[in-house]
Amino acid sequence: MFRQNQQTTLPPAAPPASPNPAPPPGDAIYRSIQEINESVQRSSAWLPPLRREIGKMIIGQEHLVERLLVGMLTGGHILLEGLPGLAKTLAVKTLAKAVQTEFRRIQFTPDMLPADIIGTEIYNPQQTSFVVKQGPIFSSLILADEINRAPAKVQSALLEAMQEKQVTIGEETFRLPELFLVLATQNPIEQEGTYPLPEAQVDRFMLKVVVNYPSMAEERKILDAMDSTEAEINVIPVAKPEDILAARKVMNSIYMDEKIRDYIVSLVYATREPKKFQLDLQGYIETGASPRATINLKLVAKSLAFLAGRGYVTPDDVKDAAMDVMRHRLRISYEAEAEGVTSEDIIRKILDTVPVP
């Protein structure tokens, strides 16, 4: 779909062709893409120093760091699944310090109440009235640690905040910061004393990122870096929330061809009607991905193009985003579980089968 325009078809004042695959033919579109490219370059100047600062504390885990940046650019919440000790908390803390924004960690436990998260009304005897005491949710970056250890009523307290960026306490509604992001963690193997997340809440996470062990070379670097018992995060703030919000506006203007949009819809629709795409998966899928998957695929693909310094989306951006966007939105059947088929296996089959534009 993306073809390099012939130089003879361009007007003399047109900028030189990008070394990246060019967008669809058409002089007007091409010039518009070049303008977006320039805007992306200007508005992403904070990205290289931010990556360097994060790299001071986080060795390896490039996928995790990239997805955290995607969350910042899109405002989408992220569910991190991985074993303890894989730098999930450290990555979020480092990001918060490098972006110079507020960070709060909430440790979820079975005895928590919703008021422990959003806050509550406290009676003031001197004023003979109730005053609102805001909870830790009133921050920019929220780390919901081991979110599946809290009961459903506590988990549901996050729903309004995650979806509408507001919290209701008593009769008052409070707006949350414009740069608001929930990063939740859960242990994939420990089930005792946990409460599975409701489907409604799982669907509100833009991405589910699986955090894996580092490689041997990366672990050796981690060992060499840990020569001191001090745990201080020596990171210099290199970006501000205003930089992130400005970058979001540019990211929203990134060009996406109609064929790419159709490709996104086809990928999501294939999880609901696999037979229409000659996929023999009908017995493995109980419910397919929701429309939120379609919307989030578009947003994440645009953010990946922004991180790559491009003003347009390629099919590879969509394919790169598909696994993290859809793995938690597919509900597999008992037959699939019995045969050891996971939602990741189904998504890979869909990506291999649905025609790429």
Side-chain angles (χ1 to χ4, degrees):
M1 187 187 78
F2 293 92
R3 299 196 299 271
Q4 188 74 28
N5 284 337
Q6 297 296 325
Q7 294 293 336
T8 55
T9 62
L10 291 174
S18 170
N20 294 313
D27 291 345
I29 294 178
Y30 182 69
R31 285 193 294 270
S32 176
I33 295 298
Q34 291 297 96
E35 293 173 359
I36 298 174
N37 279 336
E38 294 172 1
S39 297
V40 168
Q41 295 295 330
R42 289 193 302 268
S43 61
S44 63
W46 51 272
L47 272 174
L50 180 61
R51 289 181 185 272
R52 285 195 299 270
E53 291 302 314
I54 295 175
K56 290 180 180 179
M57 301 298 300
I58 306 298
I59 298 173
Q61 302 293 7
E62 287 86 1
H63 184 76
L64 169 61
V65 172
E66 182 184 61
R67 287 325 191 233
L68 291 178
L69 295 176
V70 166
M72 295 286 284
L73 286 170
T74 59
H77 311 294
I78 302 176
L79 179 62
L80 304 175
E81 184 175 277
L83 296 171
L86 296 182
K88 299 185 296 294
T89 302
L90 180 60
V92 178
K93 283 184 177 180
T94 305
L95 177 65
K97 192 166 185 179
V99 176
Q100 202 173 0
T101 189
E102 294 180 344
F103 165 77
R104 296 294 297 270
R105 175 180 177 175
I106 306 174
Q107 186 66 48
F108 281 67
T109 56
D111 60 345
M112 286 186 73
L113 297 173
D116 296 327
I117 298 176
I118 64 174
T120 187
E121 289 183 319
I122 299 177
Y123 182 72
N124 187 334
Q126 295 177 347
Q127 299 178 359
T128 64
S129 63
F130 287 90
V131 295
V132 172
K133 179 177 174 57
Q134 296 182 347
I137 196 68
F138 290 89
S139 187
S140 291
L141 287 186
I142 303 295
L143 177 61
D145 212 4
E146 295 187 287
I147 189 173
N148 57 335
R149 288 201 172 276
K153 63 181 180 181
V154 177
Q155 296 174 6
S156 63
L158 288 173
L159 289 179
E160 182 183 13
M162 292 173 64
Q163 184 65 26
E164 302 177 29
K165 292 189 177 181
Q166 67 180 30
V167 169
T168 302
I169 304 175
E171 297 181 354
E172 292 187 71
T173 298
F174 302 89
R175 294 294 302 174
L176 294 171
E178 192 170 0
L179 183 64
F180 175 74
L181 189 63
V182 174
L183 305 166
T185 69
Q186 65 178 14
N187 190 321
I189 61 172
E190 197 170 16
Q191 301 300 324
E192 186 176 351
T194 62
Y195 303 84
L197 297 178
E199 295 296 328
Q201 183 164 359
V202 171
D203 198 44
R204 279 168 169 77
F205 285 102
M206 172 177 279
L207 303 171
K208 180 181 178 181
V209 180
V210 176
V211 185
N212 296 312
Y213 286 117
S215 65
M216 287 185 64
E218 291 169 347
E219 192 140 0
R220 177 54 194 271
K221 291 180 181 179
I222 294 172
L223 180 64
D224 293 339
M226 292 288 101
D227 289 336
S228 172
T229 56
E230 297 179 2
E232 184 180 356
I233 301 178
N234 297 315
V235 174
I236 301 172
V238 293
K240 298 179 181 179
E242 295 78 14
D243 299 327
I244 311 295
L245 298 175
R248 286 182 183 179
K249 295 180 181 179
V250 176
M251 187 207 72
N252 290 332
S253 68
I254 287 178
Y255 176 78
M256 179 177 286
D257 190 81
E258 294 298 324
K259 292 181 180 179
I260 301 288
R261 296 171 185 267
D262 292 339
Y263 180 53
I264 290 174
V265 173
S266 296
L267 289 176
V268 176
Y269 203 79
T271 67
R272 306 171 194 163
E273 299 290 342
K275 283 187 177 180
K276 293 190 175 182
F277 295 87
Q278 289 75 50
L279 285 162
D280 188 19
L281 300 172
Q282 199 72 32
Y284 294 136
I285 303 175
E286 190 167 321
T287 57
S290 71
R292 279 198 184 97
T294 309
I295 298 169
N296 290 338
L297 265 178
K298 172 186 173 182
L299 291 174
V300 176
K302 283 191 171 188
S303 67
L304 291 175
F306 183 92
L307 292 175
R310 280 185 277 105
Y312 56 92
V313 176
T314 69
D316 285 339
D317 294 326
V318 178
K319 296 181 75 172
D320 188 13
M323 185 64 72
D324 291 341
V325 169
M326 294 199 295
R327 60 156 49 100
H328 55 299
R329 292 185 164 91
L330 288 187
R331 193 173 183 182
I332 60 175
S333 64
Y334 290 113
E335 180 182 350
E337 291 182 3
E339 297 184 19
V341 177
T342 65
S343 60
E344 287 89 347
D345 297 328
I346 294 173
I347 294 169
R348 290 189 193 98
K349 183 68 174 176
I350 291 173
L351 290 173
D352 292 340
T353 305
V354 175
V356 180

